[in-house]
């Protein structure tokens, strides 16, 4: 199979993604990777022509984006690993123009963040800082998005994270997938803090505290945690067994994370 054949397949994959036909895109990706195999381009070599290198990178990037849209983080991770040898090539060998390195790398940073892999997150950031195109990443919206989210998470500023993950604020459609996973992780952490800090909470307060859209969503979430919903309040069995605490004790015991989240919830209440 020739590079012209591969180019034609890639055009069809782009069309499938634009129409959200991910099954067809996946099938075409298999053909594209077979084409790379016939061109001996699954892994870059010193003799691989620059055009073929660019086509190989495009193939793997399309695979990574397709995996995200199919909500397949494992598949996405495999594509990122396959892309790394191409991203490590000097710019003189494979220019960045036409590629999606910053987008794919930013998405991988966001995935690591949503999985709580802070060591992996910082290892990748350090590698970017010493890379040949490090300067470009400092102002890159795809890279800076997960960097800012991580900073806010470390501060316990969950309200800023919540605001940044709104669909109109994410850098691209694909970022919304992992942003939702990240919000789920945050919600679980706040829920764990609440269980340890409170005997009960009004449902309306819990809605804001947990960044949920409706009281019905709160009730559904409460059921997954084994909380008791009664008379417009949520009761935390753990604290009911251990005895009540005053609000002052709660904030001291819970630390800045839960305090920041509670503060934001109260601000929302005053606005509404």
């Amino acid at each position: 199979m020739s590079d012209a054949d591969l180019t034609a397949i890639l055009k069809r994959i782009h069309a499938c993604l634009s129409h959200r036909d991910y099954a067809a895109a996946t099938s075409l990706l298999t053909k594209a990777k077979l084409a790379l195999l016939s061109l001996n381009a699954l892994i870059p070599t010193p003799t691989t022509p620059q055009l073929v290198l660019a086509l190989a990178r495009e193939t793997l990037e399309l695979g990574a984006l397709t995996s995200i849209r199919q909500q397949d983080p494992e598949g996405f991770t495999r594509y990122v690993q396959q892309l790394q040898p191409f991203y490590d090539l000097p710019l003189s060998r494979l220019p960045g123009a036409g590629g999606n390195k910053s987008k794919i790398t930013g998405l991988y940073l966001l995935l690591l963040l949503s999985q709580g892999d802070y060591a992996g997150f910082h290892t990748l950031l350090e590698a970017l800082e010493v890379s040949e195109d490090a300067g470009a990443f400092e102002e890159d919206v795809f890279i800076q998005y997960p960097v800012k989210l991580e900073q806010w998470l470390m501060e316990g500023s969950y309200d800023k994270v919540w605001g940044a993950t709104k669909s109109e604020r994410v850098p691209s459609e694909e970022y919304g997938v992992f942003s939702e996973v990240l919000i789920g992780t945050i919600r679980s952490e706040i829920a764990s803090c609440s269980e340890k800090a409170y005997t009960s909470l009004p449902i309306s307060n819990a809605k804001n505290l947990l960044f949920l859209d409706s009281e019905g969503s709160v009730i559904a979430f409460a059921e997954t945690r084994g909380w008791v919903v009664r008379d417009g309040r949520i009761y935390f069995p753990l604290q009911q067994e251990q005895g009540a605490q005053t609000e002052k004790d709660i904030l001291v015991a819970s630390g800045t994370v839960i305090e920041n989240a509670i503060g934001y919830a109260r601000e929302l209440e005053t606005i509404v």
Side-chain angles (χ1 to χ4, degrees):
M1 191 175 291
S2 67
D3 54 79
D5 294 325
L6 178 55
T7 300
I9 294 173
L10 295 180
K11 287 182 179 179
R12 292 173 63 190
I13 295 174
H14 279 288
C16 288
L17 291 181
S18 67
H19 291 92
R20 301 181 184 276
D21 189 350
Y22 305 134
T26 301
S27 177
L28 287 168
L29 279 165
T30 299
K31 294 181 179 179
K33 285 185 284 188
L34 288 174
L36 288 179
L37 185 61
S38 69
L39 291 167
N40 194 30
L42 279 173
I43 299 174
T45 68
T47 59
T48 308
Q50 190 175 91
L51 172 60
V52 176
L53 287 175
L55 291 173
R57 178 183 63 188
E58 183 180 357
T59 300
L60 297 175
E61 287 178 340
L62 286 171
L65 295 175
T66 301
S67 294
I68 290 176
R69 295 190 182 190
Q70 292 178 311
Q71 299 188 18
D72 178 11
E74 291 80 12
F76 172 72
T77 299
R78 286 194 295 272
Y79 276 111
V80 171
Q81 292 168 345
Q82 291 174 318
L83 276 164
Q84 202 56 54
F86 294 90
Y87 288 163
D88 288 339
L89 291 173
L91 295 177
S92 59
R93 185 81 176 92
L94 181 60
N100 282 295
K101 179 178 179 179
S102 65
K103 184 176 185 178
I104 299 296
T105 304
L107 284 164
Y108 189 52
L109 284 169
L110 185 57
L111 173 61
L112 293 173
L113 200 58
S114 68
Q115 294 175 335
D117 186 357
Y118 295 105
F121 181 92
H122 286 283
T123 297
L124 180 52
L125 271 187
E126 290 170 7
L128 292 176
E129 290 171 358
V130 298
S131 65
E132 187 178 357
D133 46 0
F137 291 134
E138 293 180 1
E139 302 297 329
D140 189 282
V141 63
F142 293 120
I143 300 297
Q144 291 307 309
Y145 178 76
V147 169
K148 288 179 180 177
L149 290 183
E150 193 266 348
Q151 291 172 347
W152 291 330
L153 283 173
M154 293 302 97
E155 296 170 1
S157 300
Y158 288 174
D159 56 315
K160 293 181 180 179
V161 177
W162 169 252
T165 56
K166 294 291 187 180
S167 59
E168 67 273 11
R169 297 189 186 181
V170 297
S172 73
E173 177 184 355
E174 293 85 6
Y175 277 71
V177 175
F178 292 152
S179 293
E180 277 299 310
V181 175
L182 181 60
I183 288 299
T185 301
I186 291 172
R187 186 174 290 128
S188 294
E189 186 171 342
I190 292 175
S192 296
C193 289
S194 300
E195 289 172 341
K196 297 172 184 176
Y198 288 88
T199 56
S200 69
L201 274 177
I203 292 178
S204 58
N205 287 10
K207 178 172 74 72
N208 294 333
L209 178 64
L210 296 168
F211 302 109
L212 291 167
D213 296 326
S214 66
E215 293 191 1
S217 298
V218 177
I219 294 172
F221 182 79
E223 290 175 352
T224 67
R225 305 283 302 194
W227 298 342
V228 177
V229 181
R230 185 175 66 249
D231 301 328
R233 296 185 71 88
I234 290 175
Y235 293 87
F236 305 111
L238 178 63
Q239 278 303 318
Q240 283 187 300
E241 294 173 2
Q242 295 178 353
Q245 300 180 45
T246 67
E247 183 171 347
K248 181 178 179 180
D249 291 336
I250 288 165
L251 293 178
V252 171
S254 304
T256 57
V257 171
I258 192 72
E259 189 171 359
N260 286 347
I262 290 292
Y264 180 61
R266 286 172 175 160
E267 288 176 16
L268 283 179
E269 284 188 319
T270 60
I271 293 171
V272 176

